[in-house]
Amino acid sequence: MIIVIGAIRLILWTLWLYSVTVTALPLPLNGLNKTVSLFETTIRVLGGLLSAHLIASDYATGMRVPSYDNQLLNLAEDLGRRLLPAFDTPTGIPFGSVNLLHGVDKHESKITSTAGGGTLTLEFGVLSRLINDPIFEQVTKNAVRGLWARRSKLNLVGAHINVFTGEWTQKDAGIGTSIDSFYEYLLKAYLLFGDEEYLYIFQEAYAAAMHYLYHDPWYVEVNMDSAAIVWPLFNSLQAFWPGLQVLAGDIDPAIRTHAAFLSVWRRYGFTPEGFNLASLTVQHGQKSYPLRPELIESTYWLYKATRDPRYLDAGRDMIASLQYGTRCPCGYCHISDVEHHNQDDHMESFFLAETVKYLWLLFDLAVGPDNLVENGPYKYVFSTEGHLLPATPQISLVREHCLYHGAYCRSEDLRQSYRVSEADNDKQESNNSRFHAGWTKARYSSDLPTFDPTAITGLIKGVCPGLTHGQKFGILYVYPTEEHHAHETEKPKEPTHEQSHSVVVLTEPNFDHALTDYSNDHNDNQTHKSDVTS
């Protein structure tokens, strides 16, 4: 077994080294008249440049390149400034696309996805802290606030929104397509930057997702206002969720959901883009597998948390599928139809940046924690594109964060203890899922013995104890005028029943039983046939 794992590590290590180079290659920006996706350019190009810069410039890791002189950071700053015009909107939520030479075209669509507007905080925040210019971090934080301020009364967000009016143009709430990494970056921004505002939003959003979207072990899409099911579908992008739950300390539901998702992979050899939970068939028009990493990513995180060898078995099956089903002369090909394993001559950059990387990390961890990620000088946060972002003092010091962002406290208040109200504690549980205790207590600069608050006069930019999260951060709803007063007195909906926790796993040859628990537990939710295609 060790010999097999060692061979796998060698193959995957070679591909990972190649991925660091490929995903960090700079675009020829000077004079480039090209309209690009803000989201994809940020997570792939900007993130790649920043991650490669941090590795190439760091003495502590032993990987510093002697001749390197911030060339990649300079390119990242140039690219970041070319992306900034996208944020010039009334809501603060950015346009989906921007021209690298001319800014936003006057005919550019005003509709963007929640993920597209809310998955920029890590890359832009790191850039701000590396070049000491807060503008990048400020605009992306405003974008998150703009999206969260327009959440529904159920604390759910929709899939698409008008960046000028703030009106939701698609109100389907879920954890998959168009929304997925919004949740991911809320938690990861807190982990990397120590900013409690992101943690608060994540806790509220996560609790709502577990209450309204979680039909153990699957997740569905619902109307963000009424919670009525509109789309009983396993979307392949949902497969990142168990990994995120590991980071949040919510392991049990992660294990069950991963088992359900893995059963789809093992049925077809890959996960299709869509799998219909009502008919238990591949969703029409969503039969492809574009080498996505999400299920592999969750497999790595669950193995890291549990050291259960079943996740090594899962990784082995995934490698076999990729090697024998997707290998083609110049790399690895998309699968256009998971039922017939037809190949499409295309390979996305995330195959090297994520799919291969998480496989290597999985098997390398099985041999021993002797790599940079497990035993390096810092803790690392992976971006949604799999780029390593180290929690260096320059990026993550809590005391630096406290001085970096504005709030309301005077210096003497920083020594007071932080208290979590009973109401806040009640909000941290949903569907028998609990947040890790470590997430519930904030760390402020007063926790650091080297910080002397008396050295700073006047108002300290920190957070006052004794206030609710909403008071601290000024996070409010944006209501239609006629609904505002009615909603002010409405209490959040509490869970009305306990959900069963039996694992629904797809097994050959008969799948009809797989959603028995799902159907029995949720007969009260009306699903219209017109909303589901099979």
Side-chain angles (χ1 to χ4, degrees):
M1 181 67 175
I2 296 297
I3 295 175
V4 173
I5 291 177
I8 293 172
R9 287 174 69 203
L10 180 61
I11 296 170
L12 298 177
W13 172 245
T14 303
L15 289 172
W16 186 6
L17 288 177
Y18 178 65
S19 76
V20 172
T21 305
V22 169
T23 56
L25 287 176
L27 291 174
L29 292 176
N30 292 331
L32 182 61
N33 184 9
K34 178 69 175 177
T35 298
V36 299
S37 163
L38 174 66
F39 170 72
E40 296 292 352
T41 303
T42 296
I43 66 172
R44 299 194 193 202
V45 184
L46 183 59
L49 290 169
L50 291 169
S51 181
H53 160 75
L54 288 164
I55 293 173
S57 61
D58 194 348
Y59 285 98
T61 61
M63 298 179 69
R64 187 182 188 280
V65 178
S67 60
Y68 178 67
D69 189 26
N70 292 340
Q71 294 94 333
L72 296 178
L73 180 60
N74 294 336
L75 286 169
E77 180 181 359
D78 181 67
L79 176 59
R81 296 196 185 280
R82 292 172 185 268
L83 298 177
L84 280 178
F87 294 87
D88 187 13
T89 67
T91 62
I93 305 167
F95 286 97
S97 299
V98 59
N99 186 283
L100 295 175
L101 186 61
H102 302 297
V104 178
D105 186 87
K106 63 181 180 179
H107 300 298
E108 181 60 44
S109 171
K110 295 181 176 63
I111 308 302
T112 194
S113 69
T114 299
T119 312
L120 310 166
T121 49
L122 294 190
E123 291 82 2
F124 275 68
V126 168
L127 180 59
S128 271
R129 294 173 186 226
L130 290 178
I131 66 173
N132 197 30
D133 185 344
I135 184 62
F136 302 99
E137 188 164 1
Q138 288 172 355
V139 295
T140 53
K141 192 168 190 177
N142 285 340
V144 171
R145 287 170 168 167
L147 288 165
W148 185 242
R150 290 165 176 83
R151 67 199 183 277
S152 74
K153 298 175 183 179
L154 307 181
N155 279 347
L156 296 174
V157 293
H160 292 93
I161 193 169
N162 185 307
V163 301
F164 265 55
T165 66
E167 303 236 350
W168 294 100
T169 59
Q170 184 181 356
K171 291 194 171 187
D172 295 353
I175 61 166
T177 304
S178 300
I179 305 177
D180 51 352
S181 48
F182 171 74
Y183 290 100
E184 178 185 1
Y185 268 36
L186 290 175
L187 180 57
K188 289 184 175 180
Y190 168 71
L191 295 177
L192 186 60
F193 302 134
D195 187 336
E196 196 197 26
E197 182 174 350
Y198 289 116
L199 175 62
Y200 165 66
I201 298 175
F202 174 77
Q203 288 178 321
E204 297 289 293
Y206 181 81
M210 293 302 290
H211 182 51
Y212 296 108
L213 310 179
Y214 185 41
H215 290 217
D216 195 349
W218 304 95
Y219 290 82
V220 297
E221 294 185 11
V222 305
N223 180 278
M224 64 181 288
D225 294 319
S226 67
I229 297 176
V230 296
W231 202 239
L233 188 76
F234 161 52
N235 177 281
S236 63
L237 290 175
Q238 294 177 355
F240 87 101
W241 190 259
L244 184 67
Q245 289 180 307
V246 170
L247 289 178
D250 207 3
I251 305 296
D252 289 343
I255 291 173
R256 294 192 297 274
T257 295
H258 180 273
F261 292 174
L262 182 61
S263 68
V264 178
W265 178 291
R266 284 178 167 158
R267 180 182 182 184
Y268 298 105
F270 308 99
T271 48
E273 289 291 79
F275 181 79
N276 194 299
L277 300 177
S279 63
L280 296 179
T281 59
V282 176
Q283 181 71 16
H284 179 70
Q286 299 185 30
K287 296 185 175 184
S288 65
Y289 169 68
L291 304 175
R292 291 202 184 277
E294 284 77 16
L295 186 59
I296 298 170
E297 175 185 359
S298 288
T299 302
Y300 160 68
W301 283 112
L302 277 165
Y303 179 71
K304 185 171 182 176
T306 66
R307 295 302 197 272
D308 190 324
R310 81 174 86 168
Y311 298 112
L312 296 179
D313 293 337
R316 179 193 60 202
D317 292 346
M318 293 167 180
I319 286 179
S321 293
L322 292 170
Q323 190 65 22
Y324 297 109
T326 69
R327 190 76 174 91
C328 47
C330 297
Y332 290 79
C333 289
H334 283 196
I335 298 298
S336 59
D337 186 334
V338 298
E339 293 179 306
H340 300 97
H341 287 201
N342 299 330
Q343 291 187 347
D344 183 20
D345 189 13
H346 190 70
M347 186 178 82
E348 293 278 359
S349 66
F350 57 66
F351 175 72
L352 295 175
E354 297 182 82
T355 307
V356 169
K357 185 180 298 178
Y358 286 117
L359 280 169
W360 182 86
L361 286 168
L362 171 65
F363 288 103
D364 188 68
L365 184 59
V367 175
D370 58 351
N371 62 59
L372 179 67
V373 175
E374 305 298 335
N375 264 340
Y378 321 108
K379 298 295 184 182
Y380 286 88
V381 171
F382 286 96
S383 75
T384 195
E385 197 68 8
H387 296 303
L388 286 170
L389 299 174
T392 64
Q394 185 179 11
I395 294 172
S396 294
L397 267 186
V398 177
R399 66 179 182 184
E400 294 297 330
H401 157 73
C402 194
L403 299 176
Y404 192 83
H405 295 284
Y408 318 93
C409 294
R410 296 186 180 278
S411 57
E412 59 268 20
D413 294 330
L414 286 174
R415 292 293 180 181
Q416 299 179 24
S417 61
Y418 176 71
R419 295 169 295 180
V420 180
S421 68
E422 292 183 5
D424 287 339
N425 278 328
D426 291 340
K427 292 178 182 178
Q428 291 168 8
E429 296 188 11
S430 176
N431 274 359
N432 291 331
S433 300
R434 288 177 173 82
F435 291 104
H436 191 281
W439 300 134
T440 61
K441 184 178 185 301
R443 294 178 61 222
Y444 301 117
S445 58
S446 56
D447 295 326
L448 299 173
T450 57
F451 178 63
D452 180 11
T454 60
I456 301 175
T457 59
L459 291 176
I460 295 294
K461 297 180 179 180
V463 181
C464 289
L467 300 178
T468 66
H469 284 289
Q471 289 171 324
K472 289 177 186 176
F473 303 122
I475 302 174
L476 301 174
Y477 288 95
V478 174
Y479 313 100
T481 304
E482 63 274 14
E483 296 181 3
H484 180 82
H485 296 293
H487 180 66
E488 281 181 336
T489 58
E490 182 174 330
K491 295 182 179 179
K493 179 180 178 181
E494 295 297 329
T496 57
H497 65 280
E498 297 288 338
Q499 295 191 8
S500 69
H501 292 297
S502 57
V503 179
V504 181
V505 179
L506 306 180
T507 55
E508 294 286 1
N510 186 356
F511 298 88
D512 294 340
H513 68 285
L515 289 185
T516 300
D517 293 335
Y518 168 88
S519 301
N520 290 340
D521 289 344
H522 303 285
N523 286 334
D524 293 337
N525 293 315
Q526 299 298 317
T527 304
H528 300 287
K529 291 183 179 180
S530 60
D531 294 329
V532 182
T533 58
S534 57

